[in-house]
Amino acid sequence: MIHAAELIRRKRDGEQLAADEISELVLGYARGEVPDYQMAAFCMAVYFRGLNGAETFALTDAMIRSGETIELGPALGRKVVDKHSTGGVGDKTSLAVGPIVAACGVPFGKMSGRGLGHTGGTLDKLESIPGFRVELTTEEFVRQVREVGLAIIGQSADLVPADKLLYGLRDVTATVDNVSLIAASIMSKKIAAGADAIVLDVKVGDGAFMKTIDDARTLAEAMLELGRRAGREVACMLTDMDQPLGRAVGNAVEIRETIATLRGEGPPDFTELVLSASAHLLAFSDLELDQASGRARAAAVLEDGSALEAYERWIAAQGGDPREEALATAPVVREVKAEAGGYVRSIGAVAVGLAALRLGAGRRTKDDVIDHAVGVRCLKKRGDAVVVGEQLAEVHAQDDDAARRACAQVLAAYELGDTPPSSRPIVLETIA
């Protein structure tokens, strides 16, 4: 039997814990043998004292061993890739990257999550597609990756259950915001889900959890180390979230933008991020491509239509209707017009995300019901010239009152100036 109080005391005093001690504590908690109040105290000790690389890996490994794992590579006899984002406003990247990679002949298997607050969730966006099933059994998941080349599903209840328990506890004890705990939570799910190579998209800026490039770099390096210790190939992209990604923020509106991007008609910033992430994944694959040739291959499947065909096969395989006209539409669409001329200097990502949330596109609590039809489209982005009365954005709402409030919130998110701002790339830095 472990003595949880003794481990808490030692970590509180800054001592390093052995791997087997952390493992027994986490597995004991998952079995119900360690009570919430002791695990909460341990998380608070970690919050203030931190974990080193070996301790963080021990935590990650214990969370993985608390439940089932999926061995996608051996099951398929192929190298399987995955992509994860730390969450942002308008971030529908995986929905476009998956079909591109699959169209190139590389298996893509991903377990994803739901949104909370101003950041949208991949599963919520997929559920705006009529009939789409986000819940597949492990057997169905593996079979679809083998046969279709692509599956994105919700996390199985049997996959890293200790992480689910621990995250819920951290959420109510103000211990979420710790790099070691964040890295272990993300990587335990990625490793357990079975991909051999992973591209991590760490968002930086106003609409991200990591507000500065230094904080994002610290998190990226922690996740890279965990991936390497687990025998995975990992690359981290630090990407701009000081404005919404692409133009669409919502659920069905983001699916429409995904389809447009797969037709080769996507917004420049979103298309660039999608191609960059796809290039990394293809370079990791068993196709023996470097990043330059991977990017060229990704661009080619956009141009010849095979990426869109892969999207349609994937959606149909999970029970969905891939036609754009099947997506829900909001009854009220209102323009947001500029009250002055100049250049767009910034667009508050959080402000736009909260406007979409208040329309019903997101949830404040886990029990809230999503309205898939509503959202915001930011038609003018940072650096664009604007004249008085020109349309900046549009709001998709259920009624006039909601539309009027959202229009005011979105207008306030735009900052205009007399000169264009300095350019800022979508991919700020890559760590591999």
Side-chain angles (χ1 to χ4, degrees):
M1 286 289 293
I2 60 165
H3 297 281
E6 176 63 14
L7 297 185
I8 294 165
R9 181 196 65 76
R10 288 169 53 203
K11 179 46 64 179
R12 180 201 67 191
D13 293 344
E15 292 186 30
Q16 179 178 341
L17 303 181
D20 61 339
E21 292 174 321
I22 292 174
S23 178
E24 283 304 307
L25 181 68
V26 172
L27 294 174
Y29 177 59
R31 292 190 297 263
E33 298 165 2
V34 175
D36 272 353
Y37 59 82
Q38 286 188 313
M39 204 63 189
F42 176 75
C43 288
M44 189 60 75
V46 169
Y47 183 86
F48 284 110
R49 290 295 191 173
L51 299 173
N52 66 19
E55 290 175 309
T56 305
F57 181 71
L59 173 62
T60 305
D61 184 62
M63 291 197 294
I64 293 169
R65 290 191 290 113
S66 71
E68 71 171 21
T69 58
I70 302 171
E71 299 295 336
L72 278 174
L76 273 65
R78 291 287 308 280
K79 197 173 182 181
V80 180
V81 300
D82 186 8
K83 180 207 148 287
H84 176 79
S85 169
T86 56
V89 178
D91 186 7
K92 73 288 292 181
T93 312
S94 295
L95 304 181
V97 168
I100 289 172
V101 170
C104 292
V106 175
F108 183 98
K110 175 178 174 61
M111 289 193 177
S112 199
R114 301 188 181 280
L116 187 63
H118 72 274
T119 62
T122 298
L123 296 185
D124 301 316
K125 295 164 193 179
L126 286 170
E127 285 183 332
S128 67
I129 300 171
F132 190 91
R133 294 174 57 212
V134 299
E135 305 298 335
L136 300 183
T137 66
T138 298
E139 292 74 18
E140 289 173 324
F141 176 57
V142 173
R143 183 169 62 249
Q144 185 172 310
V145 175
R146 179 189 299 115
E147 296 176 356
V148 180
L150 167 61
I152 300 179
I153 65 172
Q155 181 183 337
S156 161
D158 297 325
L159 197 83
V160 286
D163 173 65
K164 185 175 183 180
L165 291 170
L166 198 58
Y167 188 88
L169 187 66
R170 290 165 54 213
D171 192 36
V172 296
T173 57
T175 54
V176 170
D177 194 16
N178 172 273
V179 166
S180 293
L181 296 177
I182 293 170
S185 177
I186 291 172
M187 293 306 293
S188 64
K189 292 188 283 285
K190 293 290 100 181
I191 294 165
D196 302 291
I198 307 158
V199 167
L200 300 166
D201 179 1
V202 181
K203 301 296 185 188
V204 185
D206 173 61
F209 292 111
M210 301 291 114
K211 302 300 181 186
T212 70
I213 193 78
D214 287 340
D215 288 344
R217 192 180 293 119
T218 299
L219 176 60
E221 289 170 349
M223 292 192 292
L224 282 172
E225 182 179 356
L226 291 175
R228 292 185 185 120
R229 284 174 178 262
R232 301 304 198 269
E233 292 180 272
V234 185
C236 255
M237 304 165 60
L238 311 187
T239 67
D240 178 28
M241 190 36 67
D242 265 345
Q243 66 174 342
L245 178 60
R247 298 190 182 97
V249 180
N251 294 287
V253 291
E254 290 193 41
I255 295 293
R256 288 191 178 89
E257 186 159 280
T258 298
I259 295 171
T261 301
L262 293 171
R263 287 199 302 259
E265 302 167 359
D269 61 337
F270 180 53
T271 300
E272 173 60 28
L273 180 55
V274 165
L275 287 174
S276 295
S278 298
H280 279 293
L281 289 172
L282 292 172
F284 276 147
S285 76
D286 53 15
L287 297 184
E288 299 183 354
L289 301 172
D290 59 19
Q291 281 195 44
S293 55
R295 185 184 175 99
R297 183 80 62 91
V301 298
L302 284 180
E303 186 174 349
D304 68 16
S306 55
L308 183 59
E309 292 173 1
Y311 168 85
E312 292 171 346
R313 285 196 305 273
W314 161 45
I315 299 302
Q318 286 185 234
D321 186 337
R323 295 174 304 138
E324 189 172 351
E325 57 267 29
L327 296 167
T329 57
V332 177
V333 179
R334 293 286 181 267
E335 295 183 353
V336 179
K337 295 185 177 181
E339 296 179 344
Y343 294 89
V344 177
R345 296 196 60 80
S346 67
I347 311 170
V350 169
V352 173
L354 289 175
L357 168 68
R358 292 168 186 139
L359 285 167
R363 53 171 68 84
R364 293 181 177 87
T365 72
K366 292 181 179 179
D367 297 325
D368 286 350
V369 176
I370 294 284
D371 184 340
H372 293 114
V374 301
V376 176
R377 294 184 68 234
C378 297
L379 304 179
K380 292 289 186 178
K381 299 291 294 288
R382 187 174 55 222
D384 289 343
V386 178
V387 299
V388 176
E390 189 173 5
Q391 187 176 358
L392 295 171
E394 66 183 23
V395 166
H396 296 236
Q398 287 296 339
D399 57 60
D400 289 327
D401 286 343
R404 186 163 47 251
R405 289 191 298 270
C407 284
Q409 292 158 2
V410 172
L411 180 61
Y414 275 83
E415 179 191 351
L416 302 184
D418 295 332
T419 58
S422 57
S423 61
R424 180 178 168 95
I426 185 66
V427 181
L428 304 172
E429 186 175 318
T430 299
I431 305 174

